[in-house]
């Protein structure tokens, strides 16, 4: 689809006019029959989603549903009476979805009812108006909001917990599952089998994967999946295992710096006060006596005078 | 000024001359100023950044702790509360130990303990370990070094005392700016365990700061309990005498500590609640946080500016303290009022002013202590003040939180919080001699005592020598 600059301008102006348009109520039945025949009783979830051209909208689905997608387009400079509209899924055109759209009230409206029965029915659905305008609907399960893009650092022989949480505003998944990514393959983690290494805790909206005692072999990508009736949402996190030697190197460097600094301070002071006896520790009477001795040495005039006097 | 014999060069007019000289020295007119003192200011700068900069940046570790230990944020926040409480609680102990032993050693040991606490925390396997190591042990270490360090700096200056204190304390704001991203980086590279270990190493630099304090410096103002030529082992009574608890019974100090308690109750409330209040007033997260940062900047400026200005000597330090405190209280009360109008500019302006006054009052309230209790008892007074302030500080935040829960917004809690510093100002006004134009002579009871004793030993010495000669 290639949009011309002039179409953009016109679209913007007409969008302002169309802002007053209202939502179609969900009770309106779809005019065109669904391409797939429903199998068995379908949940009564009929969602109607309406977008303007060139917009993208995410539809969250938990279970099997019938979804009606509506596209509205204001047209370009010359408004032909009819325009061909069709639907694509994930880029490729859906068969038998092409219809002729009439110009009604200065806009073209393209509607289609889709049934979503399993995970393969989810995806990117787009409506296309005769190679000129396009709008996108993303049908997907609720995504896990908290994404941790920085790797988690764990220590060998330490215990660790990785957590996946779904937002409070989103619906509760039916279950969770964990897997370890081996390249592009997912190796599921089953806690019961290797209970000495892992433990999985599931709590409605969040799940935790415990490592009892980590080893270097545990490093890698882990993925948690929130399972809904219609599909699974994934989130990945990287676990890095290091030994204590890594920070210890830096720590020893700092320790050496402190020792050098303290030594330098003490040596400098010793060289400055060469003639005075230095006392680092000492009970009080000694301190006081040596203190007075120092003061005497400091004030050469005073002590000399005293001696002369006495 | 403390050691008697030194002050008497001439036998004939020995008594009167020594008295006069001792008094001029104690009045501070020709007291120490600068020289090694500036090195100590640098040490105080580093000390404050390592103690309070770390405390203020703990938030980054807290996120990790909540995740790892599966505890609530409130339980985790007790770690830094414990650290601060331990610092303040052990301050009188620091004063006692510095009197009993070499203060340099006490401070170096404090630095060592502080570093050790953090190093042990990196090995923690439960929350209790964190409380004990990062909270109590590090807090103890910090307490052993903080009050003596402030005291040493103040003892090294007379004319530039407030400026020195202001400079030493401005590191707190600066370091929390620098440490936040630094800690974030350390946690990303090494996890929280490695980061704590490295932080422990950084805290060991406090040992170097403590090493900079020269024992000669401290002994000028502080002397050992002169009562008896007691043996090395300090009995319990002697230890307690190091604490100078009778300070509490003296009216000036008692009044001052009461005023400081009031000030502390209200002082920290904006730091806890300003961001939440800004958000409630309708400003975005980013803008709310920015208000806090801006107040932090004026805080730093306020400390240094107030220190410089106070040392110019145009006004009495006590009057300046009252001024900044009253203004800070006023601005705290105005904070929610300014955001009522919905104007971000008004909120920002009041916050900046509050930050400046809060910083300004910090420099002055420390520097005013030696004027109230005398330079020789400054260390003990500071220790006791820290202890008293810890209780007051603990009271402030929960009280304002309670008020907010009761009334639903922050108006009442800020109003009450702001009225406490104003109450503190009024309490300060009851100090003896508040309304006089010049500072009253600082109490010199102890040196008086020693001066007499010193005089006595001097006379004895002269007698014995003359006996020997003849």
């Amino acid at each position: 689809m290639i949009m011309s600059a002039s179409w953009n301008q016109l679209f913007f102006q007409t969008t302002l006019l169309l802002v007053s348009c209202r939502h179609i109520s969900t009770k309106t039945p779809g005019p065109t029959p669904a391409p797939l025949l429903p199998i068995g009783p379908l949940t009564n979830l009929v969602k109607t989603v309406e977008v303007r051209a060139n917009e993208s909208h995410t539809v969250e689905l938990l279970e099997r549903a019938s979804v009606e997608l509506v596209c509205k387009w204001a047209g370009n400079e010359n408004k032909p009476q009819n325009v061909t509209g069709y639907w694509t899924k994930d880029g490729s055109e859906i068969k038998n979805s092409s219809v002729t759209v009439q110009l009604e009230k200065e806009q073209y409206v393209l509607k289609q009812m889709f049934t979503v029965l399993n995970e393969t029915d989810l995806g990117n659905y787009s409506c296309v108006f005769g190679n000129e305008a396009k709008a996108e609907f993303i049908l997907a399960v609720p995504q896990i909001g908290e994404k941790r893009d920085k790797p988690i650092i764990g220590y060998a022989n330490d215990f660790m917990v990785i957590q996946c949480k779904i937002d409070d505003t989103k619906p509760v998944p039916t279950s969770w599952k964990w897997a370890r990514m081996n390249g592009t393959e997912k190796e599921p983690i089953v806690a019961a089998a290797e209970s000495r290494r892992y433990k999985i805790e599931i709590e409605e909206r969040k799940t935790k994967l415990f490592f009892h005692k980590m080893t270097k072999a545990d490093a890698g990508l882990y993925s948690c999946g929130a399972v809904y009736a219609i599909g699974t949402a994934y989130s990945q996190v990287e676990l890095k295992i290091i030994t204590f030697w890594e920070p210890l190197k830096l720590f020893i460097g700092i320790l050496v710096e402190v020792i050098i600094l303290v030594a330098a301070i003490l040596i400098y002071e010793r060289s400055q006060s060469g003639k005075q006896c230095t006392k680092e520790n000492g009970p009080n009477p000694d301190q006081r006596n040596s203190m007075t001795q120092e003061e005497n040495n400091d004030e050469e005039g005073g002590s000399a005078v005293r001696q002369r006097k006495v | 000024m403390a050691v008697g014999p030194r002050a008497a060069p001439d036998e004939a007019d020995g008594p009167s001359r020594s008295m006069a000289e001792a008094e001029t020295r104690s009045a501070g007119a020709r007291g120490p100023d600068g020289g090694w003192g500036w090195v100590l200011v640098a040490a105080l700068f580093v000390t404050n950044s390592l103690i309070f900069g770390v405390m203020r940046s703990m938030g980054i570790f807290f996120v990790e702790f909540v995740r790892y230990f599966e505890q609530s944020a409130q339980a985790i926040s007790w770690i830094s509360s414990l650290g601060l409480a331990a610092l303040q609680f052990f301050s009188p102990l620091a004063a006692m130990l510095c009197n009993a032993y070499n203060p340099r050693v006490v401070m170096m040991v404090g630095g060592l303990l502080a570093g050790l606490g953090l190093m042990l925390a990196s090995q923690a396997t439960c929350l209790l370990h964190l409380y004990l190591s990062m909270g109590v042990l590090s807090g103890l270490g910090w307490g052993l070094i903080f009050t003596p360090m402030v005291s040493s700096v103040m003892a090294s200056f007379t004319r530039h005392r407030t400026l020195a204190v202001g400079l030493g304390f401005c590191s707190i704001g600066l370091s929390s700016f620098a440490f936040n991203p630094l800690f974030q980086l350390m946690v990303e590279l090494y996890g929280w365990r490695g980061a704590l270990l490295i932080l422990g190493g950084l805290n060991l630099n406090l040992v170097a700061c403590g090493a900079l304090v020269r024992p000669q410096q401290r002994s000028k103002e502080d002397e050992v309990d002169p009562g008896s030529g007691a043996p090395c082992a300090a009995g319990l009574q002697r230890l307690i005498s190091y604490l100078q608890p009778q300070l509490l019974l003296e009216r000036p100090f008692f009044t001052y500590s009461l005023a400081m308690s009031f000030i502390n109750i209200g002082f920290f409330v904006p730091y806890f609640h300003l961001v939440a209040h800004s958000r409630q007033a309708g400003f975005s997260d980013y803008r709310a946080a920015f208000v806090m940062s801006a107040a932090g900047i004026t805080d730093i400026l306020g400390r240094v500016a107030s220190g410089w200005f106070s040392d110019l000597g145009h006004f009495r330090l006590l009057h300046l303290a009252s001024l900044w405190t009253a203004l800070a209280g006023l601005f705290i009360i105005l904070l929610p009022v300014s955001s009522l109008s919905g104007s971000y500019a008004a909120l920002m302006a009041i916050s900046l002013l509050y930050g400046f006054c809060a910083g300004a009052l910090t420099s002055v309230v420390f520097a005013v202590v030696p004027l109230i209790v005398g330079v020789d008892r400054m260390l003990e007074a500071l220790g006791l003040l820290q202890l008293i302030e810890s209780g007051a500080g603990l009271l402030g935040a929960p009280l304002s939180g309670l008020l907010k829960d009761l009334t639903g917004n922050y108006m009442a809690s800020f109003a009450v919080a702001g009225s406490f510093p104003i109450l503190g100002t009024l309490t300060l006004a009851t100090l003896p001699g508040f309304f006089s134009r010049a500072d009253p002579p600082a109490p010199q009871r102890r040196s008086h005592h020693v001066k007499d004793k010193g005089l006595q030993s001097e006379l004895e010495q002269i007698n014995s020598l003359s006996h020997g000669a003849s």
Side-chain angles (χ1 to χ4, degrees), chain A residues 40-74:
Chain A
L42 201 63
T43 42
N44 295 338
L45 210 69
V46 179
K47 282 191 182 202
T48 306
V49 187
E50 174 189 312
V51 299
R52 311 268 165 233
N54 207 30
E55 283 176 5
S56 179
H57 189 90
T58 309
V59 182
E60 280 183 2
L61 293 170
L62 310 176
E63 41 195 9
R64 292 140 45 109
S66 290
V67 188
E68 181 186 49
L69 303 176
V70 181
C71 283
K72 295 191 175 185
W73 180 44

Side-chain angles (χ1 to χ4, degrees), chain A residues 181-254:
Chain A
M181 308 285 284
N182 205 349
T184 46
E185 302 268 311
K186 279 201 174 78
E187 286 174 15
I189 299 176
V190 183
E194 297 176 276
S195 54
R196 271 170 293 116
R197 257 176 103 194
Y198 306 113
K199 186 177 86 144
I200 296 182
E201 214 177 77
I202 297 182
E203 234 182 84
E204 288 208 348
R205 283 219 162 80
K206 53 181 176 191
T207 181
K208 295 180 192 173
L209 178 64
F210 293 88
F211 295 81
H212 289 300
K213 222 174 171 204
M214 290 191 289
T215 59
K216 279 270 185 184
D218 285 325
L221 270 176
Y222 287 83
S223 106
C224 63
V227 179
Y228 292 95
I230 200 74
T232 315
Y234 291 102
S235 172
Q236 279 186 357
V237 69
E238 191 190 344
L239 182 65
K240 261 190 183 166
I241 312 278
I242 57 176
T243 57
F244 230 73
W245 179 238
E246 312 259 332
L248 203 60
K249 285 187 286 196
L250 190 52
F251 171 75
I252 289 176
I254 297 177

Side-chain angles (χ1 to χ4, degrees), chain A residues 163 206 208, chain B residues 58-59 61-81 126-128 130-131:
Chain A
Q163 177 180 278
K206 53 181 176 191
K208 295 180 192 173
Chain B
M58 276 297 162
F61 286 103
F62 286 175
V63 174
E64 301 293 319
F65 289 155
V66 166
R67 191 199 316 249
Y68 188 88
F69 291 103
E70 301 181 275
Q71 298 285 343
S72 69
Q74 204 186 12
I76 301 285
S77 69
W78 266 104
I79 299 174
S80 68
S81 307
C126 66
L127 198 57
L128 183 64
L130 283 179
Y131 285 158

Side-chain angles (χ1 to χ4, degrees), chain A residues 146 148 150-155 158-163 201 203 208 210 240 242 244 246-248 250-251 254-255 257-258 261-262 265-266 268-269 272-273 276 279-288 291-292 294-296 299 302 305-306 309-310, chain B residues 3 5-11 25 36 64 67-68 70 99-105 108 119 122-123 187-191 193-195 197-198 200-202 204-205 207-208 211-216 219-220 224 230 232 238 242 453 458 462 465-466:
Chain A
E146 231 179 85
R148 218 200 140 108
K150 301 252 165 59
I152 298 183
I153 311 278
Y155 282 89
D158 189 15
F159 110 110
M160 169 61 71
V161 53
I162 311 179
Q163 177 180 278
E201 214 177 77
E203 234 182 84
K208 295 180 192 173
F210 293 88
K240 261 190 183 166
I242 57 176
F244 230 73
E246 312 259 332
L248 203 60
L250 190 52
F251 171 75
I254 297 177
L255 192 62
E257 168 253 323
V258 171
L261 206 56
V262 174
I265 290 170
L266 293 177
Y268 173 76
E269 191 185 316
Q272 283 286 311
S273 55
Q276 297 166 19
K279 67 276 153 268
E280 296 297 39
N281 303 316
N284 313 308
D286 288 347
Q287 199 177 9
R288 198 152 60 106
M291 230 22 84
T292 46
E294 272 172 51
E295 313 305 6
N296 286 341
E299 297 187 343
V305 166
R306 187 174 305 141
K309 289 283 179 190
V310 176
Chain B
V3 187
R6 186 161 57 98
D10 193 282
E11 183 202 327
R25 254 192 220 108
W36 190 250
E64 301 293 319
R67 191 199 316 249
Y68 188 88
E70 301 181 275
N99 280 333
Y101 303 104
N102 188 330
R104 165 188 272 178
V105 171
M108 287 170 78
M119 283 151 56
S122 72
Q123 305 298 313
V187 169
E188 278 171 27
L189 286 177
Y190 300 114
R193 288 191 191 271
L197 182 67
I198 294 169
L202 285 177
L204 285 179
N205 280 296
V207 178
L212 283 170
V213 173
R214 295 192 164 163
Q216 299 93 297
S219 72
K220 274 194 185 121
V224 154
C232 310
R238 202 155 167 234
Y242 288 150
K453 180 181 177 295
E458 163 85 10
I462 294 166
L465 281 169
S466 58

